[in-house]
Amino acid sequence: MSNVTVIGTQWGDEGKGKIVDWLASRADIVVRFQGGHNAGHTLVVGDQVYKLSLLPSGLVRGKIGVIGNGVVVDPKALMTEIDRVTAQGLVVTPETLWIAENAPLILPVHGALDRAREAARGEHKIGTTGRGIGPAYEDKVARRAIRICDLAEPETLDWKLDELLLHHNTLLAGLGAETFTKDQLKDFLTEITPRLLPFSCQVWDRLDEARRAGRRILFEGAQAVMLDVDHGTYPYVTSSNTVAAVAASGSGVSPSSVGFVLGIAKAYTTRVGEGPFPTELHDQTGRTLGERGHEFGTVTGRPRRCGWFDAVLIRRAVRVGGVSGIALTKLDVLDGLDEISICVGYELDGQKIETFPSAPGAQARVKPVYETMPGWKETTAGARSWAELPAQAIKYVRRIEELIEAPVTLLSTSPERDDTILMRDPFED
Ligand code: IMP
């Protein structure tokens, strides 16, 4: 029996929520290992709709939820989310939610700097969620982050706040934004400490015990490989590594614990925020995909950019992400289209290329080379077996498998949890 790690293979929003929820029901523990409250997914369970950004999905299924050291934690956002799901009937206690004491905090200075910098970037803005994710990761690497364990040591907090403010106020003042006083940050931390500290623990130790006891662990990735700070469309990326390898370092388990890596891919492509997107459609088909797929950002409400499936990018995500199998989502959004295109290569300045370039200028100039196939008239929505799928839809899925060099092990045909075709149970692998 294996653990499972779920990651996105495109630019996020691949429909991870439903898949993670389904897998969570078969796991004992669900672990978030990177990102922060820039992520967002909606879980529909019975008549309840849960909107989660930071809390691991497993809590909705009564499982233990873990926030690993690789996550950046906005304590206010976390508490608001806990209050919201508690009002919906969930029980979130230090027994059911473990937060790594070495996780860095997102403070009000981080959001302020994120937004001020975006405003100053003008046409080269990244389109961040404005939630302070990037500045918080910068502070972690620069060794000036306030981590959760620091909250228990007022003397440590005192000098760390001085260092943090020296850095941030210099930048904020330079950008013409409002600066912060030490008292403001102290008040913020004093308010959240009594609620946050009881959840904190040595997550790595508890996960190791769980592993020895043979408990099933699901690692829940956020964002996606094309937003990975190393492997994505840099600089139009998030500030963490999103590949499956980080499930280990971001929670303190051994690399061998990552288990089966399930990559989530939408049957077409979407992106929020700025940055290159070779298969983006600016025509009616793009708008149709957006409308049918309800393509609006969960966190920011921004309309998502839509385009055809890019097999070249996903093949890369499969390779660098260590993907063992793909969960293909939202196939039903393609129902009724006359023709469907798949990007099978690129052209750059008149030359054929087979992999996506790394430099931003080249990434923006790349033109997709398409293979086009007939669509299908029948509906795939709600299908629960291959037999219920139109022959042409099966051909589309099979072609994708060939091109991305990975098997589709799970197919999702509607937002409903049970509208899923399972080829292989990743926990049994
Ligand atoms: P940041 O993570 O807020 O710094 O934003 C950097 C980029 O990642 C922007 O293009 C965001 O739109 C994108 N991004 C961050 N989180 C998500 C997500 O959960 N889904 C999709 N895009 C995201």
Side-chain angles (χ1 to χ4, degrees):
M1 189 209 309
S2 162
N3 293 329
V4 176
T5 298
V6 172
I7 57 168
T9 58
Q10 294 157 318
W11 280 287
D13 311 311
E14 293 92 353
K16 276 194 287 298
K18 168 182 154 173
I19 309 288
V20 166
D21 176 44
W22 183 82
L23 288 167
S25 65
R26 307 157 94 91
D28 300 304
I29 300 177
V30 182
V31 182
R32 278 282 310 268
F33 54 89
Q34 49 74 225
H37 66 311
N38 48 351
H41 38 245
T42 306
L43 302 179
V44 183
V45 181
D47 57 357
Q48 288 283 357
V49 178
Y50 298 97
K51 289 198 178 294
L52 303 182
S53 280
L54 197 50
L55 288 175
S57 308
L59 286 170
V60 171
R61 296 277 160 205
K63 306 301 166 88
I64 290 172
V66 177
I67 295 180
N69 55 276
V71 175
V72 281
V73 179
D74 180 323
K76 275 269 168 73
L78 177 68
M79 294 311 156
T80 306
E81 203 169 310
I82 291 178
D83 289 344
R84 197 172 58 233
V85 299
T86 303
Q88 290 182 280
L90 296 189
V91 180
V92 184
T93 65
E95 281 70 48
T96 59
L97 176 65
W98 308 343
I99 306 181
E101 60 181 12
N102 49 345
L105 290 175
I106 301 183
L107 304 178
V109 282
H110 296 122
L113 183 60
D114 193 359
R115 293 185 292 273
R117 268 201 316 226
E118 276 286 270
R121 279 188 185 117
E123 63 166 314
H124 292 295
K125 72 176 195 289
I126 291 165
T128 72
T129 57
R131 298 192 162 195
I133 308 293
Y137 275 115
E138 288 163 31
D139 277 2
K140 167 177 167 167
V141 176
R143 295 164 291 191
R144 63 175 164 258
I146 308 279
R147 307 198 303 177
I148 294 177
C149 50
D150 299 334
L151 298 175
E153 288 190 351
E155 68 284 10
T156 304
L157 264 187
D158 199 63
W159 63 261
K160 283 188 100 171
L161 279 176
D162 284 333
E163 190 187 338
L164 191 96
L165 277 172
L166 175 68
H167 177 83
H168 285 273
N169 278 343
T170 310
L171 289 173
L172 287 168
L175 288 161
E178 259 183 65
T179 57
F180 286 79
T181 64
K182 191 168 174 183
D183 280 345
Q184 265 175 306
L185 292 191
K186 269 194 170 162
D187 290 349
F188 175 87
L189 294 173
T190 307
E191 190 190 330
I192 54 102
T193 296
R195 278 200 76 188
L196 185 59
L197 264 189
F199 290 101
S200 74
C201 59
Q202 300 218 332
V203 155
W204 65 270
D205 192 31
R206 291 196 187 180
L207 287 178
D208 190 51
E209 267 175 38
R211 181 190 60 81
R212 287 167 201 261
R215 304 183 80 183
R216 285 177 168 191
I217 305 177
L218 172 66
F219 295 95
E220 176 183 0
Q223 292 85 46
V225 177
M226 287 304 134
L227 289 170
D228 182 286
V229 68
D230 285 297
H231 300 289
T233 45
Y234 190 92
Y236 301 95
V237 292
T238 193
S239 296
S240 59
N241 284 111
T242 58
V243 291
V246 180
S249 60
S251 60
V253 300
S254 105
S256 59
S257 302
V258 168
F260 187 98
V261 180
L262 185 66
I264 318 288
K266 225 180 258 190
Y268 50 101
T269 313
T270 63
R271 170 162 209 177
V272 285
E274 307 302 315
F277 179 176
T279 61
E280 183 170 13
L281 292 169
H282 297 281
D283 59 4
Q284 187 50 44
T285 307
R287 285 188 287 279
T288 304
L289 294 177
E291 281 156 23
R292 286 216 206 139
H294 307 290
E295 297 296 355
F296 294 91
T298 320
V299 171
T300 57
R302 292 177 286 182
R304 297 180 184 139
R305 302 153 65 192
C306 298
W308 293 124
F309 189 88
D310 189 332
V312 186
L313 280 186
I314 302 210
R315 187 163 61 229
R316 171 167 164 180
V318 163
R319 290 185 189 169
V320 300
V323 168
S324 330
I326 288 280
L328 193 69
T329 63
K330 294 187 135 182
L331 185 65
D332 55 303
V333 173
L334 302 179
D335 291 352
L337 294 179
D338 292 334
E339 286 189 327
I340 299 174
S341 296
I342 305 177
C343 172
V344 295
Y346 304 116
E347 227 180 76
L348 176 65
D349 305 332
Q351 302 277 325
K352 286 239 156 45
I353 53 169
E354 285 183 359
T355 56
F356 198 57
S358 299
Q363 289 188 349
R365 289 200 307 283
V366 143
K367 301 264 179 293
V369 175
Y370 287 121
E371 188 177 289
T372 297
M373 51 200 294
W376 53 90
K377 289 284 164 254
E378 307 89 328
T379 176
T380 61
R384 294 183 183 184
S385 70
W386 279 107
E388 291 174 57
L389 290 181
Q392 202 50 44
I394 295 177
K395 274 194 192 154
Y396 181 66
V397 176
R398 293 296 182 221
R399 184 64 184 133
I400 281 177
E401 286 182 313
E402 276 169 18
L403 289 166
I404 65 176
E405 297 170 7
V408 171
T409 52
L410 200 152
L411 198 69
S412 159
T413 55
S414 97
E416 289 298 317
R417 201 167 152 233
D418 294 330
D419 292 342
T420 301
I421 304 173
L422 180 68
M423 275 65 94
R424 207 151 109 196
D425 183 343
F427 276 116
E428 299 302 336
D429 232 74

